[in-house]
Structures are given as structure tokens and as C-alpha cells.
Amino acid sequence: VDLDNGYDAFAVDNSFTTQSDRPGRDSQRTTGMSLKAMGDIADAFSVVSISSATRSDVVFSFDADWGNDAFWDPVIYDFFSETRRDRQNLGQEFRLVSNADSGSRVSWVTGVSVNDLRESNDTTDDGNFEGDTFVARITREYQAQSLAVFGDVDITLNPQWTLGMGLRTERRDADYTDTAGDQFDADESNVGGQVSVRYTAASGNTMYAKVARGYKAGGFNLGLPAEADNDTLLYDGEYLWNYEFGASVSWLDDRLRLNGTAFWMQRDDQQVQSSTQLDPNNPATFVFFTDNAGKGSNSGAEFELEYAATQNLSLYANLGLLNTEIEDVASGSVLDGRDQAHAPRYSYALGGRLDINPQWFVRADITGKDAFFFSDSHDQRSSAYSLVNLRAGYDAQNWSVTAWVRNLFDEEYAVRGFFFGNEPARDFAPTLYTRQGDPRQAGISVTYRFSN
């Protein structure tokens, strides 16, 4: 994989035009392989081996002041940051899997997996503010080894009821060093699992209920500038209990189908994506990092409705409802009792496809979401928005041609938001800077499907 995405998508006036005179890069070159081998070693079960290896070279750099000499004149203000990352990952997994043709009412899988991750981040920052120049460099080394044992079993109690159970335990050992002399160990053991029950009616309609415990390991924030302290470098693991109920029902000879899910989650030591500026006069020290924010809760519901109105017309509607809260943080904190970041109260999608004849078709979709907080480190919010997308094309047996328009009405909407000081003329007053979503785009796609 060879990616080169550019980088400088920021503008001081929150427009689509950047003033950067030292454009950065967001590039990645990855070489990887995966080998999967399977074989029956008994009538009742088979063995599966999955081996993988990847090596990635990443360059992440940006013009930290977002401007140029003429733009900032008469102030001398020029900052740049670059991080070069080398990442290597090795993985091996062995599974024993029951054979579906054995006739047993019990199906199962069990196995063990090992993983070795090594990462090096070399960050260089340079700057010039009114003749006060500097160059700062730091290299951070990180490695983690994990060993996990897991198992999952489904028991068919009768033609209607199925019981499911799963368990996973993992040991993870991580080490961190940097050229500033810091050295840390982060070793932890985690256990997760689930119990579920599913009911299938004679009509084919289904219902299920599930209780699950999950986890996300803790770790280190890499690629930070040299000014980062130990509190910013480290974060703890997160643990979650999830309670879920869902159903799938159909009517009108399966022409109308509804899938619905309701859930409630309780999060402990919730990991949040935070940001801060370590040095008020150095925009290159504005960093994103993972932190812990006490407890949190998520609850909501998701619905998917599909309707085959006629043989040629199909319609759909999706709706997501979400309520989140950050709890158990310091009184007066910006997070106390607040919604989590990037968690809109609602999101939806409506659309349909009309097949004019077996080859020609048209499709229209409307997607939208409620306002949401940009970050867990400040209280700035986006605006709610809706987008309209159109497609029309010709679909033959092995090939198709499609003309499309995304964001038909050229809606302006923000997908990211940053709140910090980046303008010397305003004494670096904290300001909301946003990254805009894609404007209207139009194109033609040609697809050819190879077949025997």
C-alpha cells in the first residue's frame, strides 16, 4: 500500500483555502502478508492457522502556523512539525473449530493468538517567533507483546432457542523509552466475554439478548513533541459492560423488513480523545492524545427499515438514537456530565433505488446527523447538517457505468473542530478552527467484474 494524502487541510478563516507555505505530508507505505491454512484433523473439528506480518513507514508533517510570511506580516511567525514513524507487527493465531457437518447441536471455536508490535517515532519541530528560533527533536520507542486465549460456543437448545457464550483472556506487556530519558512499563491482564440467547420463530423472525464485557488496553501516546510530560504520555485501560436487545421481523411476504437494536453501556476509566497546547506561543505543541475520564455511559437504539414497494422500486430508512454522558470527573471540569465527543443525538439515512429497466437505474439518498461536541477537551460544537447524494447508471452483466453527485446542494459543514490560540495579532486568544467536510463533488465510475 502506498498512500500520499497531502496534509494541510487547515485555514485560519475556516475556509477551503489554506495559507500554508510549508505544506506537510500524510503518507504511508506498508508491506504486509497474511497466510491462512486450514485442515481437518478429526471428523468433529478442524484446525486453522493464521499468520500475518506488516511493516509501515509513515511521514506525518504539517505547517503548524497555517500561514506564510506575507500572511503574518509584520509578525515573524513560522513553525513546522514532522514525525517519521516505523511500525512492525507480527501475529500468529491457532484455532480449533467444530465442523458444521458433524450433526452436533453444539458449535464451538477455541484458540490462542500472539502478537508482537514495535514502533519508533522520530519527531522534529522547528520554529521562529519574532527572531526567537528553536529546533527540538525527540525519538520514542514502543513495543508490546500480547498473548490471548479465547473460546466461543453456540448451543442449539431446540429449533427455536440458541444459547451463546464466549470468553477471552489476554496478557499484554508494553515498554516505552525515549531520548529524553523516560522509561515506562505497562503490563496488564484483561478478561472479556459474552452471554447471549437467540429466538427464531417459525416465520423466520428473530429476537436476541446479549450481555458482554469488553476492554481496551492502556498504552502510550506516541509522536508527541518534546514538551510532553508523563501525564500526557500514559493512559490506562478501559472496561465496558454492554447490555443489548435486538429483533428482526418482516411482513408482506418479506417485502417489508425491520431490524432494531437497543443498547446500554457502562464504561469505566473511559478513554477519551483529548487535546492541549503545551506551549501557548508554539502552535507545534498543540497535540491530540488519549486520556482517561472516569466513567461514562452510552445508551440508544438503531433501526433499519427496508421496503420493496414494487418490483422496480426499493426504499430504505435508517435511524440512530444516542445518549452519552461522561461521569465521575473533577467538579467544574469541561467534561462533567457532558455528552461525549463526536456523539450526535441522532443520525439518519433515507433513500431509494428505481430500476427503470433491467439495466438502467437511479438512486437518491439523504444522510444527516445532529450537532456534536468536537472534542473532549473543550465545549465547542458542530452544527446539524443533512447531505443529498444522487446516482444514475447502466448496469450490465459484467460491467457498469455510474454518474454520481455527492453533497448535491454544496452544504457547508464541519467534521473536526480545534480550540486553541494560533494568531499572534490576537495575542493567541483561543479560537475555534474547523475542518470542513467535502463540498459538492461529481464524477463517473466505471466498473468491470471479472468472472469465470
Side-chain angles (χ1 to χ4, degrees), residues 359 394-400 449 451:
Q359 286 79 40
Y394 182 88
D395 195 355
Q397 182 175 358
N398 292 332
W399 60 275
S400 63
R449 295 174 289 275
S451 61

Side-chain angles (χ1 to χ4, degrees), residues 196-237:
S196 64
V197 60
R198 179 179 295 272
Y199 174 77
T200 303
S203 63
N205 295 336
T206 62
M207 294 186 299
Y208 77 92
K210 179 194 292 186
V211 179
R213 183 182 191 271
Y215 61 85
K216 291 197 300 183
F220 307 97
N221 292 295
L222 304 178
L224 301 181
E227 290 84 353
D229 57 24
N230 294 345
D231 292 337
T232 309
L233 289 172
L234 302 170
Y235 61 92
D236 296 326

Side-chain angles (χ1 to χ4, degrees), residues 412-435:
E412 292 188 7
Y413 61 101
V415 295
R416 298 290 302 275
F418 316 93
F419 190 67
F420 71 111
N422 197 31
E423 298 176 58
R426 302 181 64 241
D427 295 325
F428 298 102
T431 304
L432 175 63
Y433 302 105
T434 59
R435 178 171 180 176

